[in-house]
Amino acid sequence: MIKNDNLKLAENAVLSIEEGLIKVFQERSKQVYEKLDSILTIFNEEKVSTSHFNQSSGSGHDDISREKIDAVFSRLFLAEKAAVRMQFVSGTHAICSVLFGILRPGDVMLSLTGQPYDTLEEVIGIRGGGKGSLKDFGIEYKQINICENFDSFEEKIVHSFKENACKLVFIQKSCGYTWRKSLANHQIEKICSLIHSLDPNCTCFVDNCYGELVEDSEPISKGANIIAGSLIKNLGGTIVPTGGYIAGDAELVEMACSRLTSPGIGSSAGINFGLGRLILQGLFLAPQIVHESLKGADMVAAVFKNLGFKVLPEPATYRSDLIQAVRLNNPYLVQKVCQSFQNSSPVDSFLNVVPSPMYGYDSKLLMAGGTFIEGSTSEFSADAPLRDPYNIFIQGGSHIAHIKIALIQLLSELLEEKLISKDSLLSLSI
């Protein structure tokens, strides 16, 4: 491809950023080895074989593929029990099953991390007509935000527990669509320890979406009672076409599965439609995919920070999930970035990205997601709710080369429209 001057300048700028990130990239590479070694040990000790790729039919009673996958995931999370199901249509569905499986009329659910992700608002009954929501079933919802100033989390939680006897506390590990740092597992450990000291029977539930395999531990080992997430995010390795998981205390997982299927059946049924190989292979690939996504997030953060935008997290800092937030302060710029990333996608690169309503979301969304799996955020993608201050959330990436190509193309286009200057690119470095 013949490169014009803008494209050459953009390429040099991104390569300069990459060179400045070499040390943090090397550190992240060490984690791939450690996590893959752990997964291989689990596969070997569980005696995973081609027989676990077989397909069953009907209800899937005694399905050896489903049972082996559950065993592998429970060991991965150091949980008593796990349920990995293709019947979960999203991470939100898995979370919803946990909430409705555990909570009963008259119970109180307390969100510790403020307003939950948009798609949970109608589940809880914060927004919408309330039909079938927790509120509709007489479950009370409260929220505090310990993320605004984590140093004072104890005071906020103790005060809230004096006012409410909580059946379940909800902890959203990832930032979602809010401008805050995602929680690290060492922080989740402090939270769970405090909660259980105040009430040993209170369930600590962590929305683990985007956080799997990013840190050296998972929330169950830090005191969480139950976690949930999606398989088209980290653990699917970009190849699992749908599904989600829950893991944690055996009784709680079974209660959630009874909501997914029915009481009396619970976790003991449900086929995986012959996707056992993809689920297990996706988990095998996941450490490398997560590593590439983290490198990409560092690069995205460094590029936008050096252009003068606020970013969260900062480049080359500790990360507890895959999401990179950038504050653009301009709706046109949000659309421009999303469109450019869409144009650099392997699938549907020709589509125009336009603000659109989406089920479960309060605001119109811009979504750049030319991915092989629809909605997959383990693949390189970006999305933004069209509301002030116009933050964009970028995540995923199966390999760093794709993210570099997308950034180079974006910078070239921003130069072409004079939205950034050549001087700003010439000085671009970590």
Side-chain angles (χ1 to χ4, degrees):
M1 183 179 77
I2 299 174
K3 297 177 181 177
N4 60 35
D5 289 343
N6 285 346
L7 205 57
K8 289 178 182 176
L9 189 59
E11 182 179 52
N12 289 337
V14 171
L15 292 176
S16 175
I17 287 287
E18 183 180 32
E19 186 176 348
L21 290 166
I22 289 298
K23 286 186 179 180
V24 71
F25 285 1
Q26 290 173 341
E27 286 299 312
R28 297 203 190 285
S29 294
K30 294 176 184 177
Q31 295 179 325
V32 179
Y33 172 86
E34 293 164 358
K35 288 163 186 171
L36 183 57
D37 184 48
S38 176
I39 288 171
L40 279 173
T41 298
I42 294 171
F43 277 35
N44 292 339
E45 292 180 355
E46 286 294 328
K47 295 182 170 57
V48 170
S49 75
T50 54
S51 65
H52 300 120
F53 305 160
N54 292 340
Q55 181 174 357
S56 61
S57 61
S59 298
H61 292 296
D62 302 317
D63 184 316
I64 63 169
S65 176
R66 182 193 67 241
E67 291 172 352
K68 182 58 65 177
I69 291 167
D70 286 355
V72 167
F73 273 68
S74 67
R75 289 194 57 181
L76 173 72
F77 288 117
L78 301 179
E80 290 180 1
K81 187 178 182 67
V84 182
R85 297 291 181 273
M86 298 298 97
Q87 288 77 17
F88 287 128
V89 301
S90 64
T92 297
H93 185 195
I95 293 166
C96 181
S97 296
V98 172
L99 294 175
F100 278 97
I102 295 173
L103 294 168
R104 299 291 181 266
D107 287 343
V108 176
M109 167 188 172
L110 172 66
S111 170
L112 301 181
T113 44
Q115 195 86 348
Y117 191 67
D118 288 37
T119 57
L120 285 176
E121 291 179 357
E122 290 189 70
V123 172
I124 294 166
I126 300 172
R127 176 170 52 86
K131 294 180 180 179
S133 67
L134 293 175
K135 181 180 179 181
D136 195 32
F137 277 78
I139 296 163
E140 190 174 0
Y141 173 78
K142 304 284 187 180
Q143 70 178 41
I144 58 175
N145 192 350
I146 63 173
C147 301
E148 294 173 334
N149 180 12
F150 190 78
D151 291 338
S152 63
F153 83 96
E154 291 188 24
E155 179 183 344
K156 289 182 178 179
I157 291 175
V158 170
H159 176 73
S160 185
F161 264 63
K162 285 180 179 178
E163 294 184 341
N164 304 285
C166 300
K167 176 70 172 294
L168 178 147
V169 295
F170 179 72
I171 303 165
Q172 185 175 290
K173 180 176 171 66
S174 177
C175 63
Y177 280 158
T178 61
W179 189 264
R180 69 163 173 88
K181 289 183 178 179
S182 298
L183 287 174
N185 286 330
H186 70 85
Q187 294 173 306
I188 290 175
E189 182 175 29
K190 292 179 180 178
I191 295 167
C192 293
S193 177
L194 176 61
I195 295 297
H196 289 142
S197 72
L198 295 171
D199 183 356
N201 296 317
C202 183
T203 297
C204 291
F205 175 31
V206 176
D207 170 3
N208 205 31
C209 288
Y210 299 104
E212 302 93 343
L213 298 179
V214 174
E215 300 184 80
D216 292 335
S217 62
E218 296 293 334
I220 295 295
S221 68
K222 299 301 182 182
N225 298 104
I226 191 165
I227 61 175
S230 167
L231 292 184
I232 63 169
K233 296 184 173 68
N234 302 24
L235 293 184
T238 75
I239 64 173
V240 180
T242 190
Y245 73 87
I246 52 179
D249 297 351
E251 182 181 5
L252 298 178
V253 172
E254 195 61 31
M255 291 169 75
C257 286
S258 293
R259 175 70 186 190
L260 175 67
T261 58
S262 71
I265 294 177
S267 65
S268 62
I271 64 171
N272 59 29
F273 305 99
L275 298 174
R277 178 186 66 80
L278 289 181
I279 297 168
L280 291 165
Q281 188 177 5
L283 180 58
F284 171 76
L285 295 173
Q288 182 65 39
I289 300 299
V290 168
H291 168 62
E292 293 295 295
S293 298
L294 292 173
K295 290 197 299 182
D298 279 319
M299 187 169 288
V300 168
V303 165
F304 279 98
K305 180 181 179 182
N306 280 269
L307 290 174
F309 296 98
K310 289 184 178 180
V311 298
L312 194 67
E314 294 279 318
T317 56
Y318 186 84
R319 292 180 180 272
S320 56
D321 71 358
L322 300 186
I323 296 178
Q324 180 60 52
V326 181
R327 178 157 290 174
L328 295 176
N329 292 309
N330 184 323
Y332 175 76
L333 201 51
V334 170
Q335 187 155 1
K336 179 64 184 175
V337 173
C338 284
Q339 185 64 63
S340 181
F341 286 166
Q342 183 75 29
N343 293 343
S344 294
S345 297
V347 180
D348 291 332
S349 60
F350 54 89
L351 294 182
N352 291 325
V353 178
V354 296
S356 304
M358 186 167 288
Y359 294 116
Y361 291 86
D362 188 25
S363 305
K364 286 187 175 182
L365 295 182
L366 278 166
M367 286 196 168
T371 55
F372 289 96
I373 305 297
E374 189 269 325
S376 169
T377 46
S378 54
E379 302 175 63
F380 185 59
S381 56
D383 49 290
L386 273 189
R387 57 192 184 218
D388 193 62
Y390 300 105
N391 300 324
I392 188 170
F393 300 87
I394 303 163
Q395 60 276 314
S398 56
H399 40 298
I400 188 67
H402 179 206
I403 301 169
K404 284 165 57 178
I405 290 167
L407 285 171
I408 290 167
Q409 185 61 40
L410 170 66
L411 294 178
S412 174
E413 292 171 7
L414 294 178
L415 273 177
E416 188 70 28
E417 291 194 30
K418 295 183 171 53
L419 294 170
I420 59 174
S421 67
K422 289 187 177 180
D423 287 342
S424 67
L425 283 197
L426 289 170
S427 62
L428 206 60
S429 62
I430 186 67

